[in-house]
Amino acid sequence: MTGKIGERKKSRGFLLFILMIALGVVAFAVVLTYTKKFVYGTGIVSKKYGDALKIAMQFFDVQKSGKLENNKIIWRGDSALNDGNEEGVDLSKGMYDAGDHMKFGFPMAFTATVLSWAILEYGDQMEVVDQLQPAKESLKWITDYLVNAHPTSNELYIQVGDPVKDHKCWDRPEDMTEKRPIKKVNPSAPGSDVAAETAAAMASASLVFKSSNLKYSKLLLSHAEDLFSFANENRGSYSESIPEVEDYYNSTGFGDELLWAASWLYYASKDRKYLEFVTGEDGEKFANWETPTWFSWDDKLPGTHVLLSRLSFFGPEVVAETENMDMYRKSAEAVMCSLLPDSSSATSSRTKGGLIWVSKWHSLQQPVASAFLAVLFSDYMISSDTSKLECNSDSFLPSDLRMFAMSQADYVLGDNPMKMSYLVGYGNKYPQYVHHRGASIPANVKTGCKDGYKWLESKEPNPNVATGALVGGPSKADNYIDSRNNSMQGEPSTYNTAVLVGLLSGLVSVSSVPKSFK
Ligand SMILES: *[C@@H]1O[C@H](CO)[C@@H](O)[C@H](O)[C@H]1NC(C)=O
Ligand SMILES: *[C@@H]1O[C@H](CO)[C@@H](O)[C@H](O)[C@H]1NC(C)=O
């Protein structure tokens, strides 16, 4: 008996011991999950954001034009091989803009600049989930195109394809038969916006390739410097020189691109003349300090404010103390204060579901781009031991900014009233009728310009998954209509995938950002 009782006691004690270990393990797991979200410098990798990043990155492969190398998208093939031939330039590479087959230089260059920025700040985190190499390859696919698009100092090709004719076709890029006219800016038809954005793309990419391909990096920097001079000395908007772009990618001004390009050129060249540009007369004229706007393919100011706030955070001191430099940091802070939902200057442009919502066309662009800036700024704060952000009388922590960024990313990935992911290929419910020609037509059928329309009109889901496409997004009421003809909500774009890649890279883990611009 006693023996049994003793045994029972012993086994009870043992059970208790096991139970305590189990509880300990559970508690540890909970803490781990929690810290993964809220504590920095742990180096813990978020599986969710890592998986989403791997998916988002694939959209660049979906959008590639030209003779493909190591193509991983089974339904894609070579296309647009003769682009540029009519004027003796090779514009076959680059990426299609969205669901169509236009190559618009203004948003394409912005895609490259944002992708470079993401690589520079968060390349280490991309590497952890094996996305650094694909990111650099996609970036180079665009910069190779941009190099060829800039054959002489004062001449830049800014578009391939006729948008009116292109939009009257529904075909696969591999089977395109429509003419592909090209357009350029030069001193008699200036385009400071598109030329400066292209300079920004090349300057930032020159930093990305500095350690792996010095020759290419130098080539990009020299193109960037030339393009900046061309943009600056021949001031004018490309939308005025080439009015047909107004209906597609209208530029509402070029001052923001000049500052954005000069900022990137300062980082890439360390030439003080660019610093003087952004802090001098042109900065005062164009920077629109402390007036938050929305970062986008058209408006580079919030991006410039955040990018230059780096210099205030990390120096060197003589640079941080340049007159007006602190205005960029103050402006970046004003942007952050407008994004934080609990700040007294919070923007009211939000849905009930918590998404920043500014425009019904491609509604995800502003929340995702803003969240990318917020995660950057939060990492600048952490890396510089800046504990607080003051917004009028309230103060916020870097973790508040990071939580805001996560809230926007989580909304995109399925934490939303529709309970669906807006990133195609992620999760188990995502749009099936993405407005994308290549995805909507089976790879083994031949279509011409017009007979492909039956695939636009088909009631069947897309036969090909446009993996990584970030669709336009929900309505103000957090609704989404999954219809192939709904280009307002259902059309993806390469530039919106670029900002998403930036955001997700920042959320994969925590980076020591100041190292990134060496
Ligand atoms: C393009 O932008 C300019 C400058 O802001 C504006 O005046 C013009 O109305 C815009 N065009 C279109 C079609 O929106
Ligand atoms: C698609 O939308 C356009 C513009 O709203 C409309 O003109 C066209 O008839 C629609 N096509 C189909 C198949 O619904």
Side-chain angles (χ1 to χ4, degrees):
M1 284 290 276
T2 47
K4 272 193 179 164
I5 288 171
E7 256 175 45
R8 212 178 282 153
K9 264 195 186 153
K10 214 160 89 190
S11 66
R12 240 189 240 159
F14 187 65
L15 264 176
L16 208 65
F17 178 69
I18 295 285
L19 197 70
M20 278 169 71
I21 288 197
L23 273 173
V25 167
V26 169
F28 185 67
V30 167
V31 167
L32 213 62
T33 318
Y34 187 76
T35 50
K36 188 154 95 184
K37 283 187 169 174
F38 302 111
V39 174
Y40 309 98
T42 53
I44 294 172
V45 174
S46 155
K47 180 165 162 30
K48 172 168 70 173
Y49 300 126
D51 288 350
L53 176 62
K54 287 181 200 167
I55 286 170
M57 198 73 78
Q58 293 179 50
F59 192 57
F60 296 127
D61 290 324
V62 167
Q63 296 301 91
K64 280 178 184 165
S65 158
K67 179 139 191 64
L68 302 183
E69 292 162 18
N70 307 320
N71 176 29
K72 294 173 208 86
I73 310 295
I74 49 170
W75 48 275
R76 282 300 328 276
D78 298 346
S79 63
L81 298 179
N82 298 322
D83 280 4
N85 270 7
E86 63 186 83
E87 296 192 21
V89 282
D90 177 1
L91 300 180
S92 61
K93 281 189 171 183
M95 290 183 197
Y96 298 117
D97 172 60
D100 55 4
H101 305 151
M102 288 299 299
K103 289 193 278 196
F104 290 111
F106 192 40
M108 203 204 301
F110 176 68
T111 301
T113 314
V114 170
L115 186 53
S116 294
W117 197 4
I119 294 172
L120 289 169
E121 304 276 18
Y122 298 125
D124 54 346
Q125 302 184 172
M126 290 180 175
E127 177 75 350
V128 170
V129 287
D130 298 322
Q131 295 306 296
L132 180 58
Q133 200 50 34
K136 287 171 78 174
E137 283 168 14
S138 289
L139 174 61
K140 190 163 183 291
W141 203 260
I142 299 180
T143 51
D144 284 352
Y145 168 92
L146 296 176
V147 166
N148 288 354
H150 183 221
T152 66
S153 293
N154 288 348
E155 188 184 27
L156 175 70
Y157 289 96
I158 57 100
Q159 183 172 304
V160 183
D162 173 339
V164 175
K165 288 203 180 109
D166 181 89
H167 288 152
K168 285 184 180 149
C169 293
W170 194 266
D171 47 6
R172 303 176 67 237
E174 292 79 2
D175 298 329
M176 269 191 289
T177 51
E178 52 271 30
K179 276 217 154 54
R180 309 266 301 158
I182 57 182
K183 285 263 153 39
K184 69 180 167 194
V185 291
N186 58 28
S188 54
S192 303
D193 27 35
V194 66
E197 182 60 63
T198 307
M202 290 168 140
S204 55
S206 82
L207 282 164
V208 169
F209 293 108
K210 204 167 172 180
S211 58
S212 56
N213 190 342
L214 189 58
K215 198 171 151 216
Y216 190 63
S217 164
K218 285 183 173 163
L219 174 76
L220 292 173
L221 183 56
S222 82
H223 276 282
E225 292 187 305
D226 272 5
L227 272 168
F228 181 78
S229 303
F230 163 57
N232 190 29
E233 287 155 20
N234 301 274
R235 291 190 178 189
S237 167
Y238 93 128
S239 307
E240 282 166 30
S241 302
I242 305 174
E244 75 169 55
V245 302
E246 250 197 294
D247 289 338
Y248 303 92
Y249 292 99
N250 189 33
S251 167
T252 53
F254 54 77
D256 55 333
E257 279 86 17
L258 287 176
L259 296 176
W260 173 238
S263 309
W264 280 113
L265 275 159
Y266 175 67
Y267 285 111
S269 70
K270 294 289 179 310
D271 187 333
R272 281 193 70 93
K273 78 177 180 200
Y274 297 113
L275 196 63
E276 281 154 20
F277 187 91
V278 297
T279 53
E281 215 175 282
D282 290 289
E284 285 171 2
K285 185 168 170 194
F286 295 127
N288 207 6
W289 284 315
E290 298 186 274
T291 314
T293 51
W294 300 106
F295 185 43
S296 73
W297 56 263
D298 183 27
D299 185 355
K300 318 300 153 53
L301 284 182
T304 307
H305 296 152
V306 172
L307 179 63
L308 289 178
S309 74
R310 263 192 148 270
L311 296 170
S312 298
F313 278 114
F314 306 120
E317 210 166 313
V318 306
V319 172
E321 283 168 3
T322 310
E323 196 184 350
N324 282 334
M325 203 70 245
D326 64 325
M327 292 312 293
Y328 285 99
R329 173 154 167 189
K330 285 186 180 146
S331 303
E333 287 172 354
V335 171
M336 297 305 134
C337 292
S338 79
L339 297 176
L340 287 166
D342 297 329
S343 133
S344 55
S345 54
T347 175
S348 59
S349 306
R350 276 175 234 262
T351 69
K352 280 211 175 69
L355 183 73
I356 293 277
W357 198 95
V358 178
S359 113
K360 62 183 181 178
W361 278 90
H362 301 167
S363 62
L364 287 174
Q365 61 180 318
Q366 291 89 0
V368 173
S370 301
F372 174 44
L373 296 185
V375 79
L376 283 169
F377 200 81
S378 122
D379 282 341
Y380 293 171
M381 288 178 70
I382 294 163
S383 301
S384 62
D385 279 328
T386 307
S387 56
K388 283 192 175 123
L389 166 68
E390 306 292 343
C391 300
N392 304 319
S393 53
D394 308 318
S395 75
F396 294 91
L397 303 171
S399 57
D400 293 319
L401 283 172
R402 199 172 176 93
M403 280 195 283
F404 161 75
M406 281 172 23
S407 73
Q408 305 301 290
D410 291 348
Y411 186 109
V412 168
L413 299 179
D415 187 3
N416 58 56
M418 294 293 288
K419 300 269 170 268
M420 70 185 289
S421 156
Y422 292 107
L423 173 63
V424 175
Y426 183 86
N428 42 31
K429 188 182 171 200
Y430 52 81
Q432 301 293 313
Y433 293 84
V434 179
H435 182 92
H436 189 277
R437 288 182 211 164
S440 74
I441 305 173
N444 59 357
V445 306
K446 263 263 190 259
T447 55
C449 163
K450 294 284 177 211
D451 53 345
Y453 270 95
K454 66 170 181 270
W455 299 104
L456 170 66
E457 288 151 21
S458 154
K459 296 279 170 267
E460 297 299 316
N462 285 350
N464 310 312
V465 181
T467 306
L470 176 69
V471 293
S475 67
K476 183 76 198 278
D478 294 296
N479 270 327
Y480 183 79
I481 296 169
D482 191 10
S483 155
R484 200 176 289 116
N485 201 27
N486 182 6
S487 54
M488 186 170 82
Q489 292 191 297
E491 185 170 15
S493 67
T494 46
Y495 46 95
N496 289 338
T497 285
V499 282
L500 181 63
V501 160
L503 170 60
L504 294 171
S505 304
L507 295 177
V508 164
S509 185
V510 178
S511 220
S512 177
V513 281
K515 287 191 193 138
S516 61
F517 279 76
K518 273 191 182 152

